[in-house]
Amino acid sequence: MEISIPGTCEHNNTPMIKTQRVRRRALTCARCRHRKITCDAISPSCSSCLAAGASCVAWNSAAKSTAPRSIVRYLEERIAALESSVTSSPCSLRSAESLYQHSRADGPSLSGGISHALLDTTTSFLGLTQHTRLAGCVVAPTKVPSAKDSFSLSDLDENNPRTILNQQPSHLSPTSVPVQVARFLFSTYITRIIHQYPFYHVSDVEQAFSAIFPDGCDRPIPESHAEARDIYIVSLIMAISLSTAARNKQAHAHGLATGLFKKAMLQVPAVLSNDLSGLQALLLLIQYTFLNPSVANLWLLTGVSSEACFDMGLHKDLPDGAIDVASKDLRRRIFWCAWEMEVAVSAGFQRPIRTLNKYINVPFPTEYDDRAVHQHGIATTGPKVKFVSRRIWLFRQIESEIISILYQDEPLPTDSMSLDQWLIDVDKRISQWRHEVHQSAAQNQDDPLVKLQWDEISLYTDIAYHYILVLMYGPSPRLKSPPRRNLIKAFEAGVKVATGYWEQANTEFGKIKYVFHPCYHTFSSAVVFLKVLQSCKADIAHLYTSEEVEDYALCFSRLFSTIAERWPAATLCLEEFDRLWGTVKKEYADFLQLKEINSLTQTWLGHSVSPDDLDDTTDISGDLNFMPFFNTYTTTTESDWNTAWTVMPNDWNAEFNFGMDFTDSVGA
């Protein structure tokens, strides 16, 4: 850029124009840009803005809005403001000292000097206060599994629509949902969902819903009159039910559910306190994240909930008479729900489980309806409604044992038991668990609603059983060279895992359709499938035709495509599997061609598979470079649901095919 400077020539005094090059400003502020004047870009405020007393901010061309000129300075000022508000807050905070006094029941006592040292190094923002904001790092997407490393960060790229510079917060208030639709979604949660994760009493969620949608009223109360906890609970309950009940236009339904989730997140400072009530609210957040992992980090969320259980001593039962029966039952329910969620996530990531079975000293809560649980006892004449959660907890105990021994090198339960004996024992226990579920389901077919729940847990039981076989008989850090007989079992079980999850994803209305478990379990099974096919070609060729093998591979692709409708990031799993399958498929096709050509001269390629052959071990741990953990730096191609909720349906029943009882159109 050049500017002209008037002057005169030395020889003839004629006017002359001098030019001077001015350095181009890389960060012109928004005010100077709008006024089309030169900006000196001085930090923190340019001279023009300083003279005018105006705020000096940058212009974000991607978002067509202003943005902080310095992210570091903006964050420093924001942190200082938050710390100032916390310091001046009138609410009573429970000090770190009191928390140390009520910490883990089995923890050693601290001497005075150590206690004071810990207090000096324990600041309030670590979460050791009664009223604390949830760490922001957990409200970040859960990543999909990947078999390769990918590094692509876009947080500070102003041209990327998902950068932190382009934040466009949006939320959907539960009071914006038509009353009849809200009651339908709440009824779906009460009748179909709450008993699978019974960390809330039914009366508690009914009270929260009635506080916003009073009985007998045709409109909700003003949002300004509602309590933060009620808004939080109702928003997440409706988000969970909406994700479950929608039969059509699932992307739109998930967009609306995400808007409700964001509304709930605005209540976090008042809701996620460091007590039982805050832990219940955290578990509700985790439950929704299982349905939509793109909204938060499941690994960090379940880690926070597990640590909270230890801090509150929920992993150990209190003596009789210490608290009333209803409170003791609620503590048990909260612990087992939190523990089950942690095991589900840790096992999916194949990461260490914080709370091993040997450290748990608390029985299961009662299966009876909440109305049968009183302060002085439990009425055993009512119906048992929490049978689904009880069966899932039993399964997680077996899964936790397998992960800790085969993947985390924990010792065997007894010193006298060998690894082979332990595998036989686990196989027997998981088979008995499966048999008991199917037997109980066959005996509870009279009540249509109860039958639907038993049918759902029966399908889940078959999936879980075959997934356990994949974990047991596939390659693992402790058993890198399993017998080929076991590898064939894992090969077959992996296909059944994908088939079962696909069937579950296409079940009827009202049945929970999680996406985290199917994605991770199926991807792990797919990698075992490919490893076995790559290393045991002769055995697979003898047992299956090439068409059957290709059909099996399509089961995995079909499932990933189905999950991507609810979790678009799962498309990466499909792409990753197709990439790996292409390589293994070519190797297998070349093997079959060579086998056919040399079938007469190289009989070892076409030999019959005998039991003795299948007892041979095969080390397949390094055939595929698979990392069964989420890839922290992987970017996804999922559609942006941040603004999808803004298109409110005129008729919710017709839009999502809820199958609601009333026939009149429900307006937004």
Side-chain angles (χ1 to χ4, degrees):
M1 176 179 178
E2 296 182 348
I3 60 175
S4 300
I5 302 178
T8 58
C9 181
E10 296 180 357
H11 301 288
N12 52 13
N13 293 328
T14 58
M16 181 185 68
I17 301 298
K18 295 182 179 180
T19 59
Q20 178 179 351
R21 181 172 296 277
V22 178
R23 178 178 298 177
R24 186 179 184 88
R25 303 299 180 190
L27 292 176
T28 300
C29 72
R31 183 173 180 272
C32 293
R33 183 180 185 276
H34 178 72
R35 296 168 62 88
K36 297 183 179 179
I37 61 177
T38 303
C39 180
D40 55 20
I42 297 177
S43 181
S45 178
C46 70
S47 301
S48 177
C49 293
L50 186 62
S55 176
C56 189
V57 293
W59 176 255
N60 189 340
S61 57
K64 304 299 181 183
S65 62
T66 60
R69 288 186 57 196
S70 171
I71 294 297
V72 175
R73 185 179 297 276
Y74 168 78
L75 293 177
E76 289 176 346
E77 294 175 353
R78 180 61 177 159
I79 291 173
L82 291 175
E83 289 180 343
S84 176
S85 64
V86 170
T87 304
S88 60
S89 176
C91 63
S92 61
L93 300 180
R94 186 168 56 170
S95 66
E97 183 176 6
S98 64
L99 280 175
Y100 281 121
Q101 295 174 356
H102 298 85
S103 60
R104 306 186 181 190
D106 55 346
S109 59
L110 300 175
S111 63
I114 297 177
S115 178
H116 286 298
L118 289 175
L119 291 175
D120 289 340
T121 58
T122 303
T123 55
S124 60
F125 59 79
L126 291 180
L128 299 180
T129 57
Q130 184 175 3
H131 302 281
T132 180
R133 181 187 295 272
L134 179 67
C137 59
V138 302
V139 188
T142 301
K143 301 302 181 181
V144 296
S146 175
K148 63 179 180 180
D149 294 330
S150 175
F151 301 91
S152 177
L153 296 177
S154 59
D155 285 351
L156 301 179
D157 180 7
E158 69 171 9
N159 296 317
N160 190 295
R162 292 183 178 84
T163 176
I164 61 175
L165 300 178
N166 297 335
Q167 295 188 64
Q168 299 178 357
S170 57
H171 53 82
L172 174 63
S173 173
T175 58
S176 301
V177 180
V179 174
Q180 288 178 297
V181 176
R183 297 191 188 283
F184 167 77
L185 295 176
F186 180 74
S187 175
T188 300
Y189 185 85
I190 291 297
T191 58
R192 298 291 190 92
I193 302 173
I194 191 172
H195 298 308
Q196 295 190 20
Y197 286 106
F199 47 83
Y200 273 123
H201 274 292
V202 173
S203 59
D204 292 336
V205 294
E206 288 177 342
Q207 182 179 357
F209 185 81
S210 298
I212 298 180
F213 297 92
D215 295 336
C217 296
D218 58 354
R219 64 181 59 186
I221 66 170
E223 185 179 318
S224 58
H225 297 170
E227 297 289 338
R229 188 171 299 277
D230 296 334
I231 296 176
Y232 178 91
I233 293 175
V234 174
S235 296
L236 286 182
I237 283 178
M238 292 173 64
I240 293 170
S241 296
L242 182 58
S243 301
T244 300
R247 301 177 181 178
N248 296 336
K249 300 184 179 180
Q250 295 177 356
H252 190 189
H254 277 274
L256 293 167
T258 304
L260 290 166
F261 159 80
K262 291 185 176 183
K263 183 63 179 180
M265 290 301 95
L266 296 178
Q267 321 305 319
V268 160
V271 172
L272 291 183
S273 52
N274 197 0
D275 51 20
L276 278 180
S277 179
L279 180 54
Q280 288 174 300
L282 178 59
L283 296 180
L284 185 62
L285 170 59
I286 297 174
Q287 185 181 9
Y288 173 70
T289 308
F290 277 133
L291 293 166
N292 186 3
S294 63
V295 300
N297 191 308
L298 279 169
W299 169 253
L300 295 177
L301 284 175
T302 54
V304 172
S305 64
S306 295
E307 291 301 321
C309 287
F310 266 108
D311 289 340
M312 300 176 193
L314 300 183
H315 63 298
K316 290 191 174 183
D317 214 20
L318 296 178
D320 293 337
I323 56 176
D324 60 78
V325 175
S327 299
K328 178 180 288 190
D329 184 73
L330 180 61
R331 286 172 57 92
R332 294 174 179 176
R333 289 159 60 168
I334 293 174
F335 169 77
W336 282 108
C337 287
W339 179 84
E340 189 273 330
M341 291 176 174
E342 182 214 337
V343 174
V345 174
S346 298
F349 292 152
Q350 295 181 8
R351 288 194 165 188
I353 296 174
R354 295 172 178 83
T355 313
L356 299 178
N357 296 343
K358 59 185 179 182
Y359 299 131
I360 300 175
N361 185 23
V362 55
F364 289 147
T366 181
E367 294 184 59
Y368 288 99
D369 187 87
D370 287 351
R371 290 169 294 186
V373 182
H374 307 287
Q375 291 185 349
H376 303 292
I378 299 175
T380 58
T381 56
K384 293 184 177 181
V385 297
K386 305 183 187 77
F387 51 85
V388 173
S389 57
R390 172 72 67 92
R391 269 69 182 183
I392 294 177
W393 296 336
L394 290 170
F395 161 71
R396 294 297 181 202
Q397 287 182 321
I398 299 177
E399 184 182 26
S400 172
E401 182 179 343
I402 293 174
I403 292 295
S404 61
I405 292 178
L406 291 183
Y407 292 83
Q408 308 303 331
D409 203 26
E410 285 288 326
L412 294 172
T414 58
D415 296 336
S416 59
M417 180 180 292
S418 66
L419 185 60
D420 290 338
Q421 292 173 332
W422 174 78
L423 288 173
I424 295 174
D425 178 67
V426 173
D427 196 322
K428 179 180 178 181
R429 281 186 281 145
I430 193 64
S431 298
Q432 291 175 343
W433 171 78
R434 182 191 187 193
H435 175 74
E436 189 277 330
V437 172
H438 285 296
Q439 187 178 44
S440 299
Q443 298 171 356
N444 291 273
Q445 299 292 309
D446 297 333
D447 188 332
L449 183 59
V450 174
K451 178 181 181 300
L452 287 176
Q453 297 182 60
W454 276 110
D455 291 344
E456 186 175 3
I457 186 60
S458 296
L459 175 58
Y460 177 80
T461 298
D462 291 335
I463 299 172
Y465 169 77
H466 290 109
Y467 179 65
I468 289 295
L469 297 185
V470 174
L471 290 178
M472 288 174 53
Y473 297 127
S476 62
R478 187 162 186 166
L479 194 58
K480 295 182 174 63
S481 303
R484 285 190 291 166
R485 179 192 301 276
N486 290 353
L487 292 177
I488 297 300
K489 289 182 180 179
F491 178 90
E492 296 171 345
V495 176
K496 293 179 180 178
V497 169
T499 304
Y501 272 128
W502 182 84
E503 183 179 348
Q504 184 188 66
N506 291 276
T507 51
E508 60 191 26
F509 143 81
K511 295 184 178 180
I512 298 183
K513 301 173 179 63
Y514 295 114
V515 297
F516 171 80
H517 308 87
C519 186
Y520 272 87
H521 292 173
T522 304
F523 194 81
S524 299
S525 301
V527 171
V528 172
F529 171 88
L530 294 175
K531 284 185 174 183
V532 176
L533 179 60
Q534 191 177 44
S535 302
C536 304
K537 299 182 182 68
D539 304 324
I540 299 299
H542 177 79
L543 296 172
Y544 310 100
T545 65
S546 59
E547 291 79 9
E548 288 176 326
V549 173
E550 289 201 32
D551 289 341
Y552 292 159
L554 288 176
C555 293
F556 298 102
S557 300
R558 180 181 61 177
L559 188 276
F560 292 136
S561 299
T562 302
I563 295 178
E565 297 176 4
R566 297 177 177 272
W567 186 15
T571 304
L572 295 179
C573 292
L574 175 61
E575 296 172 354
E576 188 79 356
F577 175 76
D578 288 343
R579 180 182 68 85
L580 298 173
W581 166 239
T583 302
V584 177
K585 179 181 179 181
K586 185 178 184 304
E587 292 180 6
Y588 187 66
D590 293 342
F591 167 81
L592 292 179
Q593 185 177 10
L594 182 63
K595 175 179 178 292
E596 183 178 358
I597 294 174
N598 299 324
S599 59
L600 297 178
T601 58
Q602 298 184 11
T603 56
W604 64 274
L605 285 174
H607 74 286
S608 299
V609 181
S610 65
D612 294 336
D613 295 329
L614 292 178
D615 284 334
D616 295 339
T617 60
T618 303
D619 186 357
I620 63 174
S621 57
D623 288 338
L624 290 176
N625 183 22
F626 170 60
M627 292 296 294
F629 311 132
F630 63 84
N631 189 342
T632 309
Y633 302 103
T634 301
T635 57
T636 67
T637 58
E638 64 182 281
S639 59
D640 188 6
W641 288 341
N642 291 341
T643 57
W645 67 268
T646 56
V647 183
M648 295 287 287
N650 293 323
D651 188 334
W652 289 63
N653 189 33
E655 179 79 4
F656 303 119
N657 192 18
F658 284 151
M660 299 169 66
D661 293 336
F662 60 90
T663 57
D664 295 336
S665 177
V666 181

